Amino acid sequence: MKKLLAVLLAMAMMLALAACGDTGSQNNGGQNGENQSGTGDTNTDQNNPSSGEVTFDKTIKLIVPYDAGGGVYNAAIIVAAEAQKYLGTTIDVVCMAGNGGQEGIEYVYNQASDGYTLLATDYGPLISTAIEEDVIYQLDEFTPIIEMTQVLPTFFVKSDSPYQTMEELIEAAKAKPGQISVGHGKFHSVPHLPLMLLEDLSGADFNEVPTSGGSEALAFTLGGSVDVGASVPSTVAGSVAAGDLRVLAVAAEDRAPEFPDAPTLKELGYEVSMPAWYTIFCKSDVPQEIRDALEQGLADVIASAEAQETAAASNVTLTGTGSAESQTLYDNTIRDLTTLLG
């Protein structure tokens, strides 16, 4: 069974990687009006169905504002792999990581409000950037459909690193200010914010190295370009299991089930607990009946035995938190990050 799951996941990743490699043509298509005209034709027939039921007869694009291989991407391809059976259409995962993730978010924002172009993201590119920079959207112009998973920021080193524990690492960063490098993903991303807070609370001074996302932070750490990595469990679990990495700590209330021997930062005396959601969004002006149909279909996908088994084999815990509760989480995150970054 594990071999079969691995094959299925690998096939899904290959399809998604092909989509990610074609982001330029995806963008050009949208700018040239091909996507707009296609969705416009469907909008007439499908957004106001005479039967009162919404069906999807065209491929849905799920835009990820990161490169392939990171946590959001991993969750998205697991969901996409089972879409045909439970949602009635295929989902193409398309990576658009340019401009700090704004390329992907702006792409979704500029598409027709018909439910065929969705956004899968954490709070980094969507909320943090909107708080600190001028963006083309308002945060209430995006509405969560369903949460795929929640993740725990995770700090790790190569297995041969001289830093055996998080305490040793923090003390070294105090003794050698700015000399110990940490690859953390994008600026003010899910792994970066707890790193900043840890520095404030501990007095450690790291050399913060932004990357394109979790997969690059992992590659930088494995390749020795940085001393420490910061990402999420699904991105690093395989390398930990292979003996290439060692997890030092997680920024959460409880230990990560994937790494039961790694302490939380709170256990070490630092009030740093910043778990994050990976959620699928649509534009807020997508008609309610389409949003409801998407939520129900995606909930069925996430609850399916196939998706749950593939997720477990990939060290991902699918949650399937619905739109109403996800909206509350979204609003609370906007509030908290505005306090922290505003």
Side-chain angles (χ1 to χ4, degrees), residues 162-214:
Y163 309 112
Q164 296 296 314
T165 67
M166 197 69 187
E167 295 99 318
E168 291 181 7
L169 177 65
I170 290 171
E171 289 306 313
K174 291 179 181 178
K176 300 183 291 185
Q179 295 184 41
I180 298 176
S181 54
V182 183
H184 57 68
K186 295 181 184 296
F187 187 70
H188 284 174
S189 62
V190 167
H192 186 212
L193 289 171
L195 174 64
M196 294 171 60
L197 184 55
L198 176 62
E199 288 181 289
D200 287 343
L201 295 177
S202 69
D205 182 6
F206 293 104
N207 173 18
E208 301 176 4
V209 180
T211 70
S212 64

Side-chain angles (χ1 to χ4, degrees), residues 96-109:
M96 294 185 180
N99 192 24
Q102 289 305 297
E103 174 192 10
I105 296 171
E106 290 178 7
Y107 179 83
V108 176
Y109 182 80

Side-chain angles (χ1 to χ4, degrees), residues 8 12 47 49 52 54 80 83 103 107 114 139 181 185 192 201 210 225 233-234 263 265 274 315:
L8 291 173
N47 288 6
V54 175
E103 174 192 10
Y107 179 83
D114 55 9
L139 288 170
S181 54
H192 186 212
L201 295 177
S225 298
S234 63
L265 289 171
M274 300 184 71
N315 297 292

Side-chain angles (χ1 to χ4, degrees), residues 110-284:
N110 287 323
Q111 301 308 301
S113 300
D114 55 9
Y116 281 102
T117 309
L118 306 176
L119 175 70
T121 189
D122 55 35
Y123 56 68
L126 181 62
I127 301 178
S128 298
T129 304
I131 292 171
E132 297 188 299
E133 302 177 14
D134 291 331
V135 295
I136 67 171
Y137 58 90
Q138 300 295 318
L139 288 170
D140 62 4
E141 293 182 285
F142 285 98
T143 294
I145 298 173
I146 197 165
E147 178 190 272
M148 297 184 292
T149 186
Q150 286 199 19
V151 296
L152 311 181
T154 301
F155 297 92
F156 54 93
V157 293
K158 287 182 66 176
S159 57
D160 60 358
S161 169
Y163 309 112
Q164 296 296 314
T165 67
M166 197 69 187
E167 295 99 318
E168 291 181 7
L169 177 65
I170 290 171
E171 289 306 313
K174 291 179 181 178
K176 300 183 291 185
Q179 295 184 41
I180 298 176
S181 54
V182 183
H184 57 68
K186 295 181 184 296
F187 187 70
H188 284 174
S189 62
V190 167
H192 186 212
L193 289 171
L195 174 64
M196 294 171 60
L197 184 55
L198 176 62
E199 288 181 289
D200 287 343
L201 295 177
S202 69
D205 182 6
F206 293 104
N207 173 18
E208 301 176 4
V209 180
T211 70
S212 64
S215 59
E216 189 171 50
L218 171 63
F220 278 16
T221 307
L222 289 172
S225 298
V226 296
D227 301 304
V228 186
S231 186
V232 298
S234 63
T235 300
V236 303
S239 297
V240 173
D244 298 323
L245 295 178
R246 182 172 60 256
V247 175
L248 298 183
V250 295
E253 294 294 320
D254 301 306
R255 295 190 178 195
E258 299 90 345
F259 316 122
D261 295 331
T264 68
L265 289 171
K266 293 190 71 172
E267 289 178 59
L268 303 179
Y270 305 106
E271 290 293 323
V272 182
S273 178
M274 300 184 71
W277 38 256
Y278 292 169
T279 295
I280 296 176
F281 289 80
C282 67
K283 293 166 63 177
S284 296

